[in-house]
Amino acid sequence: LLQPAVSVGNVGQLATDLVISTLDMTKVGYFYTDCLVPMVGNNPYATAEENSTELSINAEVYSLPSKKLVVLQIRSPFIKNKYRPFCQTLLSWVKSSKCARVVLLSSSHAYQRDDEQLLGTPLRYLLTPDLEKAVGGLMQELNWKEMEKVAAYPGINDTEKVLHIPGGGITKLLFTESCSKGIQMAVLLKFCSEGDNIPDAFALVNYLNEWLQLIKSESSTDASSQWKIPSSWRLLFGNGLPPALF
């Protein structure tokens, strides 16, 4: 199962869009929940006039049996105080659906990095203990950097380290719950700032592709041109200024 955390810059959601669009995944259902802000719109992956009028809602499920891949796309923010019930519902669905692994695409505030996190790549990963046993060695081969823990009380007690993902939405809660429930989960995240986050989405989806090889690419830089941008991205920043203003 691949899904985004609704986090800073919506990077996970944009990266998920690229996966659904490029692999031409089939919509197989909805994830019904009262934890997300209600929303309805046109088909974000429309390729012709005929399929542009299909409706899409706040949480939808897409499938690609040939790659044993299911994607949950989330399109609206969480209602206040509904994080925890959503995580519980999601993880019980993961268990009942017998999902082998969960990959969560997320992001974190670039300006809140500590000194160690400022070095090298802006991409990080986290693995639950159960998944660490299975793929930990591969991550080392890829030279990936694990998300660093930071001091719980900086300047007072620097020995006690905690996981801190500012701007990461449900990321930390979902990850810690998966650890305790024995669910195999990987978190892939990018440090970023709000703005035009399309380059961040490409960076994150290329990072995911290094591991899961969803599309064939000679190198990570080459992969960017192979992702198919969905038609809805034309409206990412709204329409232009109406001439009537002037």
Side-chain angles (χ1 to χ4, degrees):
L1 172 69
L2 176 71
Q3 70 156 93
V6 183
S7 51
V8 57
N10 306 107
V11 176
Q13 291 152 293
L14 292 170
T16 304
D17 260 356
L18 287 169
V19 171
I20 295 167
S21 179
T22 306
L23 299 178
D24 197 18
M25 295 183 77
T26 310
K27 179 156 63 171
V28 291
Y30 306 97
F31 189 79
Y32 181 74
T33 172
D34 61 355
C35 302
L36 293 162
V37 172
M39 173 239 113
V40 67
N42 281 32
N43 177 7
Y45 312 113
T47 48
E49 219 166 291
E50 295 77 68
N51 65 1
S52 65
T53 52
E54 291 170 11
L55 291 180
S56 67
I57 62 164
N58 55 9
E60 294 185 323
V61 182
Y62 296 80
S63 163
L64 187 64
S66 64
K67 288 197 184 286
K68 296 185 177 175
L69 181 68
V70 172
V71 172
L72 168 64
Q73 176 61 304
I74 300 172
R75 296 199 178 90
S76 69
F78 287 91
I79 290 168
K80 200 178 174 188
N81 300 330
K82 290 278 192 176
Y83 279 86
R84 200 166 284 281
F86 177 82
C87 289
Q88 284 162 349
T89 308
L90 178 71
L91 293 177
S92 65
W93 176 61
V94 164
K95 285 210 153 175
S96 63
S97 309
K98 298 188 167 54
C99 290
R101 290 173 183 171
V102 183
V103 180
L104 184 68
L105 299 179
S106 184
S107 50
S108 183
H109 283 302
Y111 72 88
Q112 283 191 261
R113 287 175 291 177
D114 69 3
D115 292 352
E116 201 182 346
Q117 291 170 339
L118 287 165
L119 302 170
T121 174
L123 295 154
R124 294 290 186 277
Y125 77 92
L126 282 166
L127 300 175
T128 58
D130 288 77
L131 188 54
E132 176 80 54
K133 288 173 200 157
V135 300
L138 175 64
M139 300 313 189
Q140 264 130 20
E141 278 173 46
L142 290 168
N143 279 333
W144 279 16
K145 281 186 89 168
E146 194 169 358
M147 182 70 171
E148 299 87 350
K149 291 191 170 181
V150 298
Y153 308 103
I156 302 165
N157 176 4
D158 289 334
T159 51
E160 194 184 330
K161 303 273 188 174
V162 291
L163 188 60
H164 186 50
I165 308 173
I170 60 167
T171 308
K172 185 179 171 182
L173 178 62
L174 207 49
F175 180 73
T176 50
E177 288 286 313
S178 297
C179 287
S180 60
K181 284 181 167 47
I183 289 169
Q184 294 197 13
M185 177 183 276
V187 175
L188 307 190
L189 69 81
K190 184 175 190 297
F191 294 117
C192 67
S193 306
E194 292 280 3
D196 177 359
N197 295 101
I198 290 173
D200 298 310
F202 274 111
L204 188 60
V205 82
N206 284 336
Y207 189 53
L208 170 75
N209 199 53
E210 272 183 56
W211 173 29
L212 294 185
Q213 302 289 305
L214 297 174
I215 60 170
K216 298 237 176 318
S217 63
E218 302 309 313
S219 68
S220 55
T221 47
D222 173 47
S224 296
S225 58
Q226 293 176 264
W227 296 106
K228 183 181 161 199
I229 293 174
S231 51
S232 53
W233 281 23
R234 291 198 306 264
L235 304 170
L236 218 50
F237 300 102
N239 298 330
L241 294 171
L245 266 175
F246 310 101

